[in-house]
Amino acid sequence: MVEINSYDDLVAAANEAAQRFAAKIDSAISVNELMEIEPGIKGKKSAFVEFRKFLGRLEPDERPSAGAIVQEIVSNLNQAFDTKFQALKEIERKISLQEDRLDLTEVIAGLAGSPVGMRGKLHPVTQAREKLEDTFLGMGFSVEEGPEIETDWFNFEALNIPPSHPARGMWDTFYLDIGEPETILLRTHTSPVQVRVMMTQKPPIYSVMPGRCFRRDTPDARHLAVFHQIEGLVIDKGITFASLAGTIDRFTTAYFGPNIHARLRPAYFPFTEPSAEFEINCTICEGHGCRTCSNTGWIELGGCGMVDPNVFLAVGIDPEEWSGFAFGFGIDRLVQMRYSLPDIRVLIENDLRHSMSSRYN
Ligand code: FA5
């Protein structure tokens, strides 16, 4: 700093500092840059503190006018500083809002093959669920729903799976930390809804029950931890395995068209006897074997069977009078095969490029 020995030196130095700091304020382009200037204007060691100290060394008649000059410079600089600070802050706030913006009305433009302004669509799993519901409504079925949080009794016991039954291992379960340990859970299948329907409706019953299911399955090419099933339940007089096979044929043909190659394979479920699994030729390798079907050429779409008399007894239906069948199909798995998706996880990845495919229309 220039040495100050007189009133004129002081005024000259104060004016020079005023110009220098005004230029710095003017050229600052960010709040950070501006903050670096602040100590020079407002700090305890700023030149203006020195100027004020020097006032005491001036002649008494010089002090008021010198003091007023320094004071005016300081207050002008403070005002310029504060105005610039607010302006920069506002600009930075707008930039940050712009950057963080979530555009929920996003127009899919610029992706290969996409018509500008293309609107969103229902998720393929929702489309499939609606299509299946329509098919069953057309066959005279009702559509029912049940809770996703279930009791152990509905999810297992009423379905002929008592505690410690080895078949519980078929469904690796998410238990909720409510009440007694392992009594409340996220349903592992839609089968508890058939129990609820049987307890509240009298046969004859023709119902389907779509909904979300949860399992501690490690996601892979064919499995998700959260997925969808559609349960079917028919109870009437004279219902046979042929009625079951015919119903499955009707709705799978409605969903896939006539050209799928399918089979029913004997299986085990504690709540149906006899039981079967419905499989189709893998639509990715057309039955030749690939990573998705673990080289078997077949993909399981659902389980089914004739309702076990023990289940009827648990819900108060006379197995001597009534017979019935039930099935539970994976909706996500149906979608995977319909669109030949090598990996089921694309359905939950939200990658818009997949939805560009005309296959999903
Ligand atoms: C059951 O869940 C039985 N409740 C089905 C049933 C109902 C049998 C009524 C008899 C009578 P399973 O665990 O096999 O069975 O599952 C049925 C279908 O759900 C599977 O074929 C598959 O399509 C689908 N699925 C099962 N686990 C998953 C998963 N982790 N991710 C995606 N889909 C799955």
Side-chain angles (χ1 to χ4, degrees):
M1 197 161 59
V2 190
E3 204 178 328
I4 301 173
N5 294 311
S6 65
Y7 175 94
D8 289 343
D9 289 349
L10 176 65
V11 173
N15 279 327
E16 183 279 323
Q19 277 176 18
R20 191 155 38 87
F21 280 106
K24 282 188 182 182
I25 291 171
D26 214 34
S27 63
I29 55 164
S30 69
V31 169
N32 274 350
E33 203 181 309
L34 190 67
M35 293 316 286
E36 283 172 18
I37 307 168
E38 192 187 29
I41 301 170
K42 304 186 180 192
K44 282 185 188 152
K45 292 184 179 158
S46 83
F48 301 99
V49 172
E50 294 304 315
F51 298 154
R52 284 203 182 93
K53 279 188 195 156
F54 186 77
L55 290 175
R57 287 165 50 195
L58 291 176
E59 296 301 324
D61 60 335
E62 292 172 334
R63 283 181 204 156
S65 109
I69 289 169
V70 172
Q71 187 50 38
E72 196 188 342
I73 287 172
V74 169
S75 83
N76 285 345
L77 281 178
N78 276 337
Q79 204 181 350
F81 181 92
D82 293 344
T83 308
K84 185 73 184 249
F85 179 81
Q86 290 306 335
L88 287 175
K89 223 171 105 180
E90 181 58 19
I91 290 170
E92 288 182 7
R93 193 183 70 89
K94 281 194 179 140
I95 291 171
S96 131
L97 280 180
Q98 188 69 22
E99 281 171 357
D100 295 347
R101 194 167 65 116
L102 267 186
D103 185 357
L104 300 177
T105 61
E106 187 176 15
V107 171
I108 307 167
L111 290 175
S114 69
V116 173
M118 193 180 94
R119 308 241 339 244
K121 293 194 190 68
L122 290 178
H123 191 281
V125 170
T126 311
Q127 291 182 31
R129 176 180 168 156
E130 291 186 350
K131 167 98 179 139
L132 293 166
E133 285 179 10
D134 282 352
T135 305
F136 280 106
L137 286 169
M139 288 161 68
F141 283 58
S142 69
V143 178
E144 312 283 346
E145 286 191 1
E148 293 178 346
I149 296 176
E150 269 296 5
T151 62
D152 180 88
W153 191 82
F154 278 105
N155 197 81
F156 290 125
E157 277 198 61
L159 289 163
N160 207 22
I161 320 170
S164 73
H165 190 291
R168 287 204 177 200
M170 292 165 76
W171 296 278
D172 211 348
T173 309
F174 287 112
Y175 288 97
L176 299 182
D177 200 4
I178 300 174
E180 291 289 304
E182 303 200 351
T183 51
I184 309 289
L185 47 84
L186 296 178
R187 69 179 176 200
T188 58
H189 48 179
T190 40
S191 297
V193 193
Q194 52 157 299
V195 177
R196 288 178 179 277
V197 169
M198 285 189 272
M199 288 176 79
T200 51
Q201 296 178 26
K202 287 197 183 333
I205 293 172
Y206 289 79
S207 296
V208 283
M209 296 138 262
R212 263 196 316 182
C213 308
F214 309 81
R215 287 188 199 175
R216 290 164 61 107
D217 283 347
T218 306
D220 64 20
R222 295 193 306 268
H223 295 89
L224 298 169
V226 181
F227 59 98
H228 302 76
Q229 284 186 343
I230 184 162
E231 190 84 5
L233 176 68
V234 167
I235 303 174
D236 207 337
K237 293 183 175 159
I239 295 294
T240 65
F241 203 90
S243 332
L244 167 61
T247 307
I248 292 178
D249 184 58
R250 278 276 287 280
F251 86 81
T252 50
T253 305
Y255 186 64
F256 287 107
N259 294 328
I260 50 160
H261 188 47
R263 71 179 183 191
L264 277 170
R265 216 161 62 109
Y268 169 75
F269 293 102
F271 33 93
T272 47
E273 178 58 35
S275 304
E277 269 163 4
F278 180 84
E279 298 183 333
I280 62 167
N281 260 169
C282 175
T283 58
I284 290 131
C285 59
E286 291 172 350
H288 295 296
C290 65
R291 192 181 67 87
T292 306
C293 60
S294 304
N295 288 313
T296 62
W298 293 94
I299 293 276
E300 179 204 318
L301 294 182
C304 59
M306 302 305 290
V307 180
D308 192 290
N310 282 337
V311 175
F312 279 149
L313 291 174
V315 293
I317 291 178
D318 182 359
E320 298 295 326
E321 190 182 353
W322 302 98
S323 60
F325 67 74
F327 58 79
F329 274 59
I331 303 180
D332 315 68
R333 197 71 75 72
L334 286 161
V335 171
Q336 178 180 19
M337 285 298 105
R338 163 109 189 249
Y339 299 113
S340 303
L341 304 174
D343 198 310
I344 199 169
R345 287 169 289 192
V346 297
L347 292 173
I348 55 167
E349 274 169 2
N350 279 343
D351 185 337
L352 286 177
R353 285 167 301 183
H354 293 300
S355 72
M356 306 315 301
S357 163
S358 57
R359 293 186 307 187
Y360 296 96
N361 289 325

